[in-house]
Amino acid sequence: MLNQGLVENLVNVVADSGRKKVGHMPLKSATSAHSVSSDTGLNSDYVPNFDGLPGNNKTGRGMRIVSEYVDGIDELWPKGKAEIQPWHDEVVNALWRRNFHNGNVIAVVESAGDTKAFKDSFHILRQVCRDKHPSQVTIFDIYDFFNTRPDIATGTRRHYQRQIKQMFTGMRNLGLIPLTCTPDLDIKLERPKRGAPRPLSMEMVATLITEAKAPYNYWFALGCFAGMRAAEIANIRGEDLETDALGNWVIRIPHGKGGTNLTVPCTEYLREMILSFNTKGRLWIVTPTYLSKLAGAEMVRLGVKEKGRDSRGISFHSTRHYYATKMLAASKTVTGQKDWDLVRQVMRHKDISTTQIYAYSDNSEANNVAENAFSRFNFGH
């Protein structure tokens, strides 16, 4: 069982150590978050203002409404760009209706990126099929597709594999291809290589908390001091702040990774921050992908992250890595030894081996041992 008192002590140690570097970290005025008292659902009147970014103020930044069906293949794939096959129109319109419409009800598509994702998936399907109808495609056609792209990254290859699986599943469900046409079932998803985590330094955290604009500073605080993922922050609601059976403040994450419904310890700073929004509904109307993109742009502006793909591996997810390493170090301060199982629980890892990758992020003990072991070797000088 998780010792709530011990967790609270650890969280306070992490928060206090952060404040020593960061400073007081005063909360922004509550007026920066629109007051939506006693709102239990999504309030369409509240749309956060993300400076300088395009969007529709009526439906939320980065959100749009799909109002019409796709007008054939020409809309997704203009003539002249590639040869159009007879089956393209049928597949495009059927899959589009399935993905974005429910009868006569117009669905809200969160971010224009959803439309682009559909176009990208169909583009991959076209390249796999070439001049064949999808019902005639075999696993060897899929192999040929990947053999022409030997240099793509493992993550990109896995993404393509998932797109192909989704498209063939959709076509079978819609009766566009026979149920016996299953070339995608032979695809084995690439396993991404797991590298060492790249947590933020204390100086980086100080910059993000004190100099970032709202609402980015709130997002960074939830990542650094609660270890929350981008998807969890994007969907956090005021009602997710609660107390456990022992009276400790926690943040519930009802739709966590892997379908979990767990809680994370909540510091006083985070509690005041969430309460300042004065709502039981969502704190921000933003998708996880857009949240990561906006936070990344703010990190670039503040000089914490390099523009584009950071060569050091720094991203918004690094805030979660910072939380893990600081909690691990704080557990030794409080208990006298690193408590891996406790950190596994607050990080909500299913397997402790996932938690143990953070052992390579804290090199302070190894550096001290190495210095004591080799400092006397002067090689005759």
Side-chain angles (χ1 to χ4, degrees), residues 89-297:
D89 274 330
E90 176 190 12
V91 172
V92 164
N93 282 287
L95 288 176
W96 180 268
R97 289 184 178 92
R98 175 178 181 270
N99 286 351
F100 298 116
H101 293 80
N102 180 16
N104 295 323
V105 179
I106 296 176
V108 175
V109 178
E110 296 190 354
S111 88
D114 290 346
T115 306
K116 182 180 183 300
F118 180 79
K119 292 181 179 181
D120 291 344
S121 296
F122 184 73
H123 177 42
I124 298 300
L125 178 65
R126 294 179 71 256
Q127 295 182 77
V128 170
C129 297
R130 297 184 182 178
D131 58 349
K132 291 183 177 181
H133 189 277
S135 62
Q136 300 173 330
V137 171
T138 67
I139 186 61
F140 299 105
D141 296 309
I142 298 175
Y143 287 157
D144 289 341
F145 168 77
F146 285 107
N147 288 338
T148 60
R149 295 161 177 78
D151 299 329
I152 60 177
T154 301
T156 304
R157 183 181 294 271
R158 181 183 175 89
H159 176 62
Y160 287 171
Q161 291 169 340
R162 292 177 68 89
Q163 286 179 310
I164 294 171
K165 281 179 171 290
Q166 291 171 357
M167 295 298 275
F168 272 92
T169 300
M171 288 188 291
R172 281 193 297 271
N173 292 339
L174 293 171
L176 298 174
I177 59 176
L179 294 177
T180 55
C181 180
T182 57
D184 55 304
L185 297 185
D186 294 322
I187 298 177
K188 294 184 178 179
L189 294 178
E190 296 277 344
R191 285 186 172 272
K193 296 180 180 178
R194 177 177 292 176
R198 300 295 179 92
L200 301 174
S201 67
M202 190 71 76
E203 290 71 20
M204 291 177 177
V205 174
T207 300
L208 294 177
I209 300 298
T210 60
E211 299 182 25
K213 299 178 182 178
Y216 314 121
N217 56 335
Y218 300 136
W219 300 348
F220 294 136
L222 288 169
C224 290
F225 302 138
M228 295 178 64
R229 302 177 176 92
E232 297 164 349
I233 296 173
N235 293 300
I236 188 173
R237 303 171 63 88
E239 64 186 5
D240 293 335
L241 178 66
E242 57 185 56
T243 56
D244 61 14
L246 300 177
N248 300 305
W249 285 99
V250 295
I251 301 174
R252 181 165 295 281
I253 303 176
H255 304 291
K257 187 175 180 180
T260 58
N261 180 13
L262 303 172
T263 61
V264 293
C266 181
T267 65
E268 182 180 356
Y269 174 75
L270 294 181
R271 180 175 67 85
E272 293 178 358
M273 183 194 80
I274 295 173
L275 291 176
S276 71
F277 283 80
N278 193 27
T279 178
K280 293 182 179 180
R282 285 181 64 177
L283 303 190
W284 301 285
I285 304 175
V286 63
T287 62
T289 300
Y290 207 48
L291 184 148
S292 296
K293 181 177 180 180
L294 295 173

Side-chain angles (χ1 to χ4, degrees), residues 50 53 200 208 212-213 215-217 219-220 230 233 286-310 312-319:
F50 302 126
L53 293 165
L200 301 174
L208 294 177
K213 299 178 182 178
Y216 314 121
N217 56 335
W219 300 348
F220 294 136
I233 296 173
V286 63
T287 62
T289 300
Y290 207 48
L291 184 148
S292 296
K293 181 177 180 180
L294 295 173
E298 183 70 356
M299 295 173 80
V300 171
R301 185 185 74 83
L302 296 174
V304 172
K305 177 182 178 296
E306 298 172 359
K307 189 173 183 179
R309 185 180 291 274
D310 194 296
R312 304 162 298 171
I314 298 297
S315 66
F316 179 74
H317 200 69
S318 298
T319 60

